[in-house]
Amino acid sequence: MRIAILATTAVEFEGPGELGPPRTIRGLSAALSGLRNLDVIALVVKRRRQPPTETASGRLRVMRCWIGDLPRVIRNLEPEVLQTFSTTSHTPQGQLAARVARICGGKWVDTCLGLVEMEKRLGCNYSTLDCMYEKATVTSADHVVFPSTLAKSTAASIYGHTLRGKSSIIPLGIDEGLGGVETTRFIADGGGKSDQLHLVSIGAIAPHKGQDLLLRSFLKAKAFGDLQLVGPVLDPEFRDGLVRAASKMTPGKTVHFTGFIGHEAALRSIQSADLFCLFSRFDVFAQTVVEAMSIGRAPLITDTVGCAEVVTHMRSGYVAPLGDTDEAARLIDAIHSDARGHAERGVNARAVSAMLVWPRVATGYSELYRRILQDAS
């Protein structure tokens, strides 16, 4: 089965300033190429004219080509499935690749990594064109993969009947082996119990990520400690509001704005923390939550984060209703007062995360491709 993946330039290695979507594309591409029943090639489209070139990254073949040569390259490859992602399909080259692949008899599968229309309603600065690309993809793709029930139901509420019978749910994956010495030490120490609680939250500084709700909850909690906010600033005005809120923290509580850091540094910040938090108003999945779980940190998240579906409240993490800062503050205090229980939940969280590594997720995609092609024949 030949699969063409419309990828990004970071499909082989981490790029500077890289956020979650390129890591997702790289992780799934590599995992799919490791399956024996698939012939996988990643397409990287360039806007500057250059002859098509093919390289290899492990078992993954990578084809780079100028956008003007893209139709010819796809016709020569004749992929049975074109796999795109919302970050690569919501572009001129994405729509072109999908159209050519379908003309050649291939099926177009798109994976949702975010819902532009929903995030725009929450204050994100998306254009009308971004929304048009999303609608065109959801309407035209042969199949849309959502990483959570939340993402699928939200898309259905926006786009209605266009998704009937052509969508499925496959969670996003994480790299294997993220845990290590720090994880073991944290568990052995009973959760790092101390007078101070160190919290960390990783995500772009923007309204839909809900850092303002986290600050309010931290302010209400009785526990002392510090909160580290990691992520690039997408909304400077929102960031300024967070800075003002942080300045009102009671003595014994501090808030640090770290800005963007690379993936490895972000993982180290989770390892050094007692508690990972994500209070998004909407998130289709949020792999950083699962990465925190793999490091042995039972996360505290809102019920509007897609991966809340894989977190069992008070067993492998903590789920607070969106906007209920009193309940979130109560949970922060409960975690601080029960370090041993928190560490045990971290062990459970790590077991859950082992089911969401990329090789397992890739198998789900392979089965989906086979089913789509069987139904078409």
Side-chain angles (χ1 to χ4, degrees), residues 177-186 198 200 202 228 264-276 291-292 294-297 350:
L178 293 181
V181 175
E182 292 297 327
T183 303
T184 305
R185 185 178 300 126
F186 174 83
H198 178 36
V200 65
I202 298 176
Q228 181 184 11
E264 291 299 321
L267 294 178
R268 287 195 296 272
S269 72
I270 296 174
Q271 287 179 324
S272 66
D274 301 309
L275 177 63
F276 176 85
E291 289 177 335
S294 74
I295 297 172
R297 303 300 188 267
R350 197 175 184 193

Side-chain angles (χ1 to χ4, degrees), residues 79-113:
E80 294 171 80
V81 174
L82 174 69
Q83 170 70 62
T84 64
F85 304 83
S86 49
T87 48
T88 60
S89 60
H90 298 178
T91 60
Q93 57 265 38
Q95 297 295 310
L96 174 62
R99 187 159 58 250
V100 175
R102 297 182 79 192
I103 290 173
C104 295
K107 295 297 179 182
W108 176 19
V109 177
D110 186 73
T111 293
C112 172
L113 299 182

Side-chain angles (χ1 to χ4, degrees), residues 63-373:
M63 172 73 77
R64 290 176 172 79
C65 70
W66 173 51
I67 188 171
D69 288 331
L70 183 59
R72 177 169 58 86
V73 168
I74 291 178
R75 283 195 296 268
N76 290 340
L77 289 174
E78 294 185 324
E80 294 171 80
V81 174
L82 174 69
Q83 170 70 62
T84 64
F85 304 83
S86 49
T87 48
T88 60
S89 60
H90 298 178
T91 60
Q93 57 265 38
Q95 297 295 310
L96 174 62
R99 187 159 58 250
V100 175
R102 297 182 79 192
I103 290 173
C104 295
K107 295 297 179 182
W108 176 19
V109 177
D110 186 73
T111 293
C112 172
L113 299 182
L115 282 171
V116 168
E117 187 64 48
M118 183 63 183
E119 292 172 13
K120 185 177 182 181
R121 295 176 186 179
L122 294 172
C124 290
N125 189 27
Y126 287 112
S127 68
T128 301
L129 183 60
D130 293 325
C131 296
M132 290 174 62
Y133 275 135
E134 179 171 274
K135 184 176 181 180
T137 299
V138 170
T139 303
S140 303
D142 294 297
H143 201 91
V144 181
V145 179
F146 294 98
S148 64
T149 303
L150 173 68
K152 182 177 178 179
S153 61
T154 302
S157 70
I158 298 171
Y159 299 108
H161 67 279
T162 57
L163 284 166
R164 287 180 188 168
K166 66 167 199 175
S167 63
S168 56
I169 299 171
I170 302 177
L172 300 179
I174 61 170
D175 295 334
E176 294 182 281
L178 293 181
V181 175
E182 292 297 327
T183 303
T184 305
R185 185 178 300 126
F186 174 83
I187 294 171
D189 291 347
K193 171 68 175 174
S194 69
D195 293 336
Q196 300 284 314
L197 189 65
H198 178 36
L199 296 79
V200 65
S201 183
I202 298 176
I205 307 299
H208 73 288
K209 288 295 185 180
Q211 288 95 346
D212 55 328
L213 300 176
L214 176 55
L215 257 66
R216 283 181 224 159
S217 302
F218 185 45
L219 179 62
K220 290 180 178 182
K222 297 175 182 177
F224 295 122
D226 63 280
L227 168 62
Q228 181 184 11
L229 297 178
V230 178
V233 177
L234 298 189
D235 188 325
E237 187 175 329
F238 180 70
R239 187 272 316 274
D240 292 343
L242 295 178
V243 172
R244 288 192 295 271
S247 68
K248 299 176 182 178
M249 285 290 165
T250 55
K253 296 181 182 181
T254 56
V255 180
H256 305 283
F257 294 85
T258 306
F260 175 80
I261 57 178
H263 187 227
E264 291 299 321
L267 294 178
R268 287 195 296 272
S269 72
I270 296 174
Q271 287 179 324
S272 66
D274 301 309
L275 177 63
F276 176 85
C277 305
L278 188 65
F279 281 28
S280 298
R281 289 178 167 85
F282 176 75
D283 227 313
V284 295
F285 192 75
Q287 288 154 289
T288 51
V289 173
V290 184
E291 289 177 335
M293 295 170 73
S294 74
I295 297 172
R297 303 300 188 267
L300 170 58
I301 61 177
T302 50
D303 57 4
T304 44
V305 175
C307 63
E309 298 160 18
V310 302
V311 175
T312 302
H313 183 56
M314 298 304 296
R315 177 167 175 79
S316 58
Y318 317 89
V319 182
L322 177 67
D324 192 343
T325 54
D326 290 331
E327 172 62 10
R330 187 193 68 78
L331 287 169
I332 291 172
D333 288 331
I335 291 164
H336 183 242
S337 63
D338 183 19
R340 175 61 62 182
H342 181 50
E344 290 173 355
R345 293 178 195 109
V347 174
N348 297 336
R350 197 175 184 193
V352 172
S353 72
M355 305 299 293
L356 294 171
V357 293
W358 278 122
R360 287 180 176 270
V361 173
T363 299
Y365 271 86
S366 177
E367 293 171 354
L368 172 65
Y369 299 152
R370 179 178 51 78
R371 188 167 67 250
I372 291 172
L373 295 176

